């Protein structure tokens, strides 16, 4: 048989079964999606197929032949390649240098043969319709472009089976469209693509078959054509989940955050902030909509004192915080769900417990006389983490042992459940979460709002912005195009503003 079978796959992590007796068949030349809640075992199953994790029991065959995969090199022999969510690229090198890293073609046996490398890359890009300039520096490229390099690397090793673990979680809608085009082209050339995603619309659009995992067990495989998102959600979560709706209406309080004519410097990679002004009141959610990279990170950095404000000012509860240090600002009561959980939100090698109180160590519940009390921690934190539905092996386990979505929930538990704040800054708070967990985060955000906090919600998901925000500010090239009350907002208008088009059709 052409294709891959995985039979009776079980994975035991120190007594905890991440996968139990999973059978899955991946047909050659198809796109096969794998969906399931956070922690269902999707990444674990794919790590087994790519040779990075050994299964506890189970058998794999590739094109009818029994395969023993002891490492990624073994997987490569069976033409299996994986594109990881965290790219392994060197930003100071060009595309072609990154692609050949480790398998450099040599001229006369010792100098690197650049022209051969570039020829091979150009040919592969042409064959599969991948848009990349081999001479460009990786550090200057968007996330979408960097992902294409990772795909190219796998293709240049002649992979027939490509595994993509949540490739669209980090992409803009436009980049997602382009990736889907690439995937369709690869399928036409006979490649098999295994694709993990939490976005069911996209899964149904691109996949031929969809396998649902739940709590480490295989629930079923359905043809994409015959599935609906309601049915998939039922299979994944066991109940219906409603994500659309309107923001909760409550009375607003005092102005908590006042941003006045804030400008930051333009750099080679950023247009900076150009005269940003807005007020955010207690009990209000202000959504910042925009394509990634249009000043959202700069705004967060400016408010939190991580970038210099060249003119203008920021006030929090009437106090000027412009020029203060970021720790002073955070300690004045700011909860933050950061854009990148790995570099900003968590210390991966530390325990779940320590991560869940990081930066809140002075909390009276577990700090006495300047010392962290284990007793206090153990009285408080297991309950908080349970409330936030963090599915973990044990509270002392390293945070790196959690699935991606559960890592995000640890941050939410700390920032909403532990930290004392009156301002919440949430950047893509539901990135990487399953649909049930997204519903849960929306409820928690509304609780924060109901408790009288001011919420700044920055998200590239327009549906999320529309669901949660009382007012919507649209950012384009570091400027605020407009601020629209939710009841006057429609997706088309916001979409146009996000592209820099003002009412009347003028493009900026
Ligand atoms: N290295 C590890 N050590 C111990 N347990 C682990 C390890 N890696 C994963 N697990 C556990 O295995 C289970 C499945 O995790 P996995 O990462 O496969 O989930 P997932 O379906 O990819 O979830 P997500 O959608 O959140 O990425 C989780 O309970 C997780 O805590
Ligand atoms: Mg995962």
């Amino acid at each position: 048989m052409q294709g891959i079978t995985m039979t009776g796959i079980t994975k035991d992590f120190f007594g905890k079964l991440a996968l139990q007796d999973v059978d899955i068949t991946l047909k050659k030349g198809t796109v096969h999606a794998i969906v399931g809640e956070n922690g269902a075992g999707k990444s674990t199953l794919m790590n087994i197929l790519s040779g990075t994790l050994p299964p506890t029991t189970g058998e794999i065959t590739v094109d009818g032949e029994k395969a023993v995969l002891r490492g990624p090199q073994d997987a490569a022999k069976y033409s299996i390649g994986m594109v990881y969510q965290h790219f392994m690229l060197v930003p100071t090198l060009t595309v072609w240098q990154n692609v050949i890293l480790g398998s450099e073609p040599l001229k006369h046996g010792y100098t690197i043969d650049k022209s051969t490398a570039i020829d091979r890359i150009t040919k592969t890009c042409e064959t599969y319709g991948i848009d990349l300039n081999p001479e460009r520096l990786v550090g200057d490229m968007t996330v979408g472009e960097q992902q294409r390099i990772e795909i190219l690397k796998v293709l240049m090793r002649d992979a027939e089976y490509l595994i993509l673990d949540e490739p669209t979680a980090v992409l803009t809608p436009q980049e997602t469209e382009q990736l889907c085009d690439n995937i369709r082209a690869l399928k036409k050339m006979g490649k098999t693509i295994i694709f993990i995603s939490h976005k069911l619309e996209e899964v149904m659009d691109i996949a031929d078959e969809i396998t649902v995992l739940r709590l480490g067990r295989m629930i079923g495989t359905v043809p994409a054509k015959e599935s609906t998102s309601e049915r998939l959600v039922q299979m994944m979560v066991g109940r219906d989940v409603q994500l659309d709706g309107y923001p909760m209406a409550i009375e607003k309080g005092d102005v908590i955050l006042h941003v006045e004519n804030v400008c930051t410097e333009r750099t080679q990679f950023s247009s900076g902030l150009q005269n940003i002004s807005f007020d955010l009141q207690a009990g209000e959610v202000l959504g910042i909509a925009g394509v990634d990279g249009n000043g959202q990170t700069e705004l967060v950095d400016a408010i939190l004192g991580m970038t210099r404000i060249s003119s203008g000012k920021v006030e929090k509860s009437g106090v000027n915080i412009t020029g203060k240090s970021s720790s002073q600002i955070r300690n004045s009561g700011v909860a933050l769900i950061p854009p990148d959980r790995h570099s900003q939100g968590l210390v991966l090698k530390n325990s779940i417990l320590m991560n869940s109180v990081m930066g809140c160590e002075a909390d009276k519940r577990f700090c006495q006389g300047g010392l962290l009390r284990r007793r206090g921690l153990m009285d408080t934190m297991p309950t908080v983490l349970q409330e936030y539905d963090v599915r973990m092996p044990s509270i002392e386990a390293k945070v790196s042992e959690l699935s991606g979505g559960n890592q995000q929930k640890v941050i939410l538990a700390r920032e909403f459940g532990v930290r004392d704040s009156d301002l919440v800054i949430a950047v893509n708070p539901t990135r990487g979460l399953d649909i049930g967990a997204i519903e849960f985060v929306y409820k928690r955000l509304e609780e924060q709002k109901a408790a009288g906090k001011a919420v700044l919600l920055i998200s590239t998901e327009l549906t999320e912005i529309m669901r949660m925000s009382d007012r919507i500010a649209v950012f384009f090239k570091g400027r605020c195009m407009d601020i629209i009350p939710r009841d006057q907002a429609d997706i088309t208008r916001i979409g146009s503003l996000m592209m820099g088009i003002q009412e009347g059709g003028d493009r900026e």
Side-chain angles (χ1 to χ4, degrees), residues 11-14 16-19 34-47 53 85 165-166 196-198 213 215-216 341 352 391-393 397-409 432-434:
K11 179 68 193 179
D12 183 337
F13 283 116
F14 318 107
K16 192 175 173 296
L17 290 176
L19 292 170
I34 300 181
V35 300
E37 286 181 292
N38 297 125
K42 305 175 296 293
S43 297
T44 304
L45 188 66
M46 289 304 111
N47 287 333
L53 267 183
Q85 184 155 3
D165 191 352
E166 291 192 51
I196 298 178
S197 171
H198 288 293
L213 291 181
L215 299 169
R341 63 175 167 251
I352 298 168
R391 308 206 182 157
M392 52 188 172
K398 286 185 188 162
V399 104
S400 59
E401 290 175 26
L402 293 177
S403 79
N406 282 294
Q407 294 179 359
Q408 182 77 357
K409 290 188 218 162
L433 294 187
D434 69 56

Side-chain angles (χ1 to χ4, degrees), residues 50 72 132 134 181 230 265 436 472:
S50 63
L132 268 179
D181 285 346
E230 289 78 22
E265 222 155 281
I472 300 167

Side-chain angles (χ1 to χ4, degrees), residues 473-494:
V474 187
F475 272 44
F476 177 71
K477 291 198 174 158
R479 284 179 305 121
C480 179
M481 300 289 289
D482 204 352
I483 301 184
I484 307 166
R486 173 62 182 86
D487 50 14
Q488 291 166 29
D490 71 83
I491 294 245
T492 329
R493 167 108 198 275
I494 293 180

Side-chain angles (χ1 to χ4, degrees), residues 456-475:
L456 186 65
L457 170 68
I458 295 157
S459 176
T460 46
E461 299 285 338
L462 209 41
T463 45
E464 179 159 298
I465 292 276
M466 296 290 272
R467 164 70 183 81
M468 300 304 302
S469 316
D470 301 296
R471 284 182 304 147
I472 300 167
V474 187
F475 272 44

Side-chain angles (χ1 to χ4, degrees), residues 253-298:
D254 299 340
V255 172
I256 303 282
L257 182 68
H258 171 75
V259 174
E260 187 179 315
N261 294 326
V262 164
C263 297
T264 63
E265 222 155 281
R266 281 173 204 270
T267 64
Q268 192 186 348
F269 303 120
S270 149
S271 47
L273 293 175
Q274 318 289 326
N275 265 313
I276 302 295
S277 296
F278 60 81
D279 276 339
L280 174 57
Q281 288 171 261
E284 186 187 23
V285 177
L286 175 68
I288 308 280
V291 175
D292 234 348
N294 276 283
Q296 297 96 320
T297 346
E298 288 82 352

Side-chain angles (χ1 to χ4, degrees), residues 228-252:
T228 61
S229 47
E230 289 78 22
R231 170 143 181 249
L232 289 174
V233 171
Q234 268 292 347
M235 288 171 82
M236 277 165 52
V237 196
R239 62 181 171 92
D240 288 330
V241 179
Q242 246 337 317
L243 283 189
D244 42 8
Y246 272 86
M248 171 181 68
I250 59 162
E251 190 137 334
K252 293 186 216 162

Side-chain angles (χ1 to χ4, degrees), residues 41 99 128 151 158 208 222 276 304 375 455 459 483:
V99 169
Y128 300 109
I151 296 175
D158 295 322
D208 298 296
V222 289
I276 302 295
L304 294 178
R375 187 69 190 280
V455 181
S459 176
I483 301 184

